[in-house]
């Protein structure tokens, strides 16, 4: 993976422009009181995707692995699952500390999501394994967007991209990005880019500001991405993209699940 990243070059970084301090447990809990939310009734009976940027304390990887196994077992009892775990290897856009892991967990509904988080057994496991292992965490509870696309599913052998997207204020910029995105999505599959998730957070917890959208996709090859970054059609669309966005964090990494 590291060799592949070195081969990416400036053209790849140009393309990707599309789409920490140590804390005690008490400090972590205090940081996590920074909550942004909207009425969860807007997603009643809809699938929920929870996204977490996880920063681990040094030497606590094994404890956190045990948390994932034990917590995942309980999650499955509620009809949910850990859908994807990505270990970022580089930040292609933005200024933010690189998380150790990015988690995507799915739930049948917001009601199930809330019941799971109130489960006494899960709370016990979280307090015993997760809290001592985590240095910092930001969580975005999300719903599916109305963007229509052919969803494909990769595997742990693929290279993944995760984009946290922040629009400039004003409906015109949202519409402009949608138009840009419709155009690039017609081009990107030609170069082996596949789309897994397009979701919109409606509540968040932690120090990272809640994005307007989160996109996840995977790549067949880095060579294909380099070629796409220099494609004339893509180059012509970049100014439209840049004008619409206030901020963008773009992570590239490997999937462990």
């Amino acid at each position: 993976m590291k060799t592949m990243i070195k081969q990416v070059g400036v053209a790849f970084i140009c393309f990707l422009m599309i789409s920490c301090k140590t804390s005690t447990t008490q400090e972590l809990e205090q940081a996590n009181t920074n909550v942004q939310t909207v009425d969860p009734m807007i997603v009643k009976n809809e699938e929920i995707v929870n996204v977490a940027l996880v920063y681990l304390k040094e030497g606590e990887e094994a404890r956190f692995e045990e948390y994932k196994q034990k917590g995942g077992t309980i999650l499955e009892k509620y009809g949910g699952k850990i859908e994807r775990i990505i270990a970022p290897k580089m930040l292609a856009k933005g200024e933010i500390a690189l998380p150790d892991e990015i988690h995507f967990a799915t739930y049948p509904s917001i009601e199930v999501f809330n019941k799971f988080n109130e489960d006494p057994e899960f709370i016990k496991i979280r307090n015993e394994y997760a809290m001592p292992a985590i240095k910092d965490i930001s969580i975005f509870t999300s719903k599916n967007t109305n963007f229509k696309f052919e969803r494909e599913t990769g595997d742990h052998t693929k290279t993944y991209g995760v984009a946290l997207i922040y629009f400039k204020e004003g409906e015109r910029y949202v519409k402009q990005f949608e138009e840009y995105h419709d155009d690039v999505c017609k081009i990107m599959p030609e170069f082996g880019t596949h789309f897994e998730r397009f979701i919109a957070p409606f509540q968040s917890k932690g120090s990272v500001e809640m994005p307007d959208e989160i996109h996840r996709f995977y790549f067949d090859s880095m060579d294909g991405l380099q070629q796409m970054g220099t494609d004339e059609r893509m180059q012509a669309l970049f100014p439209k993209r840049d004008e619409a966005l206030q901020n963008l964090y773009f992570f590239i990494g490997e999937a462990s699940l």
Side-chain angles (χ1 to χ4, degrees), residues 8-151:
V8 170
V10 176
F12 178 39
I13 298 300
C14 184
F15 155 68
L16 287 176
M17 291 171 64
I18 68 164
S19 43
C20 229
K21 61 184 180 179
T22 302
S23 302
T24 64
T25 301
Q26 184 177 4
E27 289 170 338
L28 177 60
E29 290 174 344
Q30 185 175 5
N32 284 344
T33 60
N34 179 22
V35 178
Q36 295 174 279
T37 185
V38 298
D39 186 357
M41 289 301 291
I42 66 171
V43 291
K44 187 175 177 62
N45 299 322
E46 290 187 31
E47 180 188 45
I48 297 299
V49 184
N50 212 40
V51 182
L53 307 185
V54 181
Y55 298 83
L56 297 175
K57 295 177 182 176
E58 187 175 352
E60 292 291 349
E61 292 80 7
R63 188 199 299 263
F64 193 66
E65 285 298 317
E66 192 160 357
Y67 161 71
K68 288 190 289 187
Q69 294 174 9
K70 294 179 182 294
T73 299
I74 299 174
L75 176 59
E76 290 175 358
K77 295 179 182 178
Y78 285 86
K81 68 175 182 178
I82 302 174
E83 180 182 70
R84 183 74 65 208
I85 298 176
I86 296 169
K89 300 301 179 183
M90 71 175 287
L91 182 66
K93 177 65 177 175
E95 295 183 8
I96 188 174
L98 202 65
D100 293 287
E101 297 182 358
I102 302 177
H103 288 207
F104 291 81
T106 62
Y107 307 79
S109 67
I110 190 67
E111 295 84 2
V112 173
F113 170 78
N114 290 331
K115 287 179 181 178
F116 168 72
N117 280 284
E118 295 166 359
D119 184 290
E121 185 181 0
F122 172 67
I123 292 173
K124 181 177 183 297
I125 290 170
R126 182 184 63 197
N127 291 340
E128 184 175 351
Y129 294 97
M131 293 302 293
I134 292 175
K135 178 169 60 177
D136 197 8
I137 188 169
S138 288
I139 302 170
F140 310 110
T141 307
S142 311
K143 63 184 180 69
N144 291 305
T145 70
N146 59 6
F147 178 67
K148 291 180 171 50
F149 66 101
E150 181 181 350
R151 184 181 173 193

Side-chain angles (χ1 to χ4, degrees), residues 100-223:
D100 293 287
E101 297 182 358
I102 302 177
H103 288 207
F104 291 81
T106 62
Y107 307 79
S109 67
I110 190 67
E111 295 84 2
V112 173
F113 170 78
N114 290 331
K115 287 179 181 178
F116 168 72
N117 280 284
E118 295 166 359
D119 184 290
E121 185 181 0
F122 172 67
I123 292 173
K124 181 177 183 297
I125 290 170
R126 182 184 63 197
N127 291 340
E128 184 175 351
Y129 294 97
M131 293 302 293
I134 292 175
K135 178 169 60 177
D136 197 8
I137 188 169
S138 288
I139 302 170
F140 310 110
T141 307
S142 311
K143 63 184 180 69
N144 291 305
T145 70
N146 59 6
F147 178 67
K148 291 180 171 50
F149 66 101
E150 181 181 350
R151 184 181 173 193
E152 300 180 79
T153 303
D155 56 47
H156 68 277
T157 67
K158 303 295 185 182
T159 298
Y160 279 81
V162 177
L164 275 56
I165 296 169
Y166 301 80
F167 300 128
K168 289 181 179 176
E169 188 173 353
E171 188 62 31
R172 58 166 285 200
Y173 294 113
V174 176
K175 181 175 177 54
Q176 181 170 316
F177 184 81
E178 288 175 351
E179 292 172 352
Y180 156 79
H181 207 243
D182 286 341
D183 290 336
V184 299
C185 285
K186 296 172 185 175
I187 301 170
M188 293 167 72
E190 296 178 24
F191 297 90
T193 299
H194 307 270
F195 308 104
E196 278 199 332
R197 279 287 183 189
F198 288 87
I199 55 179
F202 61 89
Q203 66 184 27
S204 70
K205 196 172 187 179
S207 58
V208 178
E209 182 182 359
M210 184 169 69
D212 294 292
E213 293 184 1
I214 299 175
H215 299 179
R216 187 181 83 225
F217 34 90
Y218 65 93
F219 318 122
D220 286 341
S221 73
M222 302 306 273
D223 287 341

